[in-house]
């Protein structure tokens, strides 16, 4: 990992820490906010690397359709869903129910 990647990952973690409890965002929304419009995959890599950091709520970052695409990177395949449900977010068949209601966009929320 390059120094640039490490700095980018830290920027991703800082944004992720700002997602309010009971809300979710997407990999692409974080990438766009950080000025890397097509960097959703890099945000995904950062989320995968974040699982050792308890202060990064990686469970609040999903794909653009509300799918729990990163669930296999948690301790168990159901852990991501469990954490979301604990915050009042309903999940059905690995997808957030009423995704638009829970969606948090850093580009509009962090002015």
């Amino acid at each position: 990992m390059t120094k640039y990647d490490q700095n980018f990952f830290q920027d991703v973690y800082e944004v992720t820490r700002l997602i309010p409890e009971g809300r979710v965002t997407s990999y692409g929304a974080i990438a766009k906010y950080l000025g890397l419009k097509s960097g959703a995959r890099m945000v995904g890599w950062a989320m995968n690397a974040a699982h050792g950091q308890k202060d990064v709520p990686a469970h609040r970052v999903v794909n653009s359709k509300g799918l729990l695409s990163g669930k296999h990177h948690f301790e168990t395949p159901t852990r991501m869903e469990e954490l979301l449900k604990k915050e009042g977010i309903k999940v059905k068949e690995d997808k957030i129910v009423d995704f638009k209601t829970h969606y948090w966009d850093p580009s509009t929320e962090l002015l």
Side-chain angles (χ1 to χ4, degrees):
M1 187 181 318
T2 67
K3 183 177 179 181
Y4 171 78
D5 293 339
Q6 290 173 339
N7 289 339
F8 179 78
F9 280 23
Q10 290 306 314
D11 290 346
V12 168
Y13 301 154
E14 285 180 32
V15 174
T16 304
R17 288 182 188 108
L18 297 173
I19 304 168
E21 187 174 314
R23 304 289 299 276
V24 294
T25 196
S26 68
Y27 303 104
I30 292 174
K32 181 181 173 188
Y33 176 76
L34 293 175
L36 205 63
K37 189 175 180 181
S38 59
R41 185 166 292 176
M42 283 184 65
V43 173
W45 293 335
M47 289 295 94
N48 186 28
H51 292 294
Q53 300 184 44
K54 300 228 183 255
D55 67 332
V56 178
H59 65 283
R60 295 181 188 151
V61 184
V62 298
N63 82 2
S64 62
K65 294 179 178 152
L67 292 171
L68 311 188
S69 55
K71 73 177 194 166
H72 297 292
H73 299 288
F74 285 78
E75 304 88 49
T76 68
T78 59
R79 185 66 178 146
M80 185 177 189
E81 181 176 342
E82 291 165 4
L83 291 168
L84 289 167
K85 284 182 174 180
K86 192 175 183 179
E87 294 184 8
I89 297 175
K90 293 180 182 175
V91 177
K92 183 177 181 182
E93 297 178 7
D94 294 332
K95 186 173 183 180
I96 294 176
V97 176
D98 208 12
F99 177 57
K100 289 182 180 179
T101 299
H102 298 287
Y103 185 72
W104 180 84
D105 185 351
S107 294
T108 59
E109 300 286 341
L110 302 176
L111 301 175

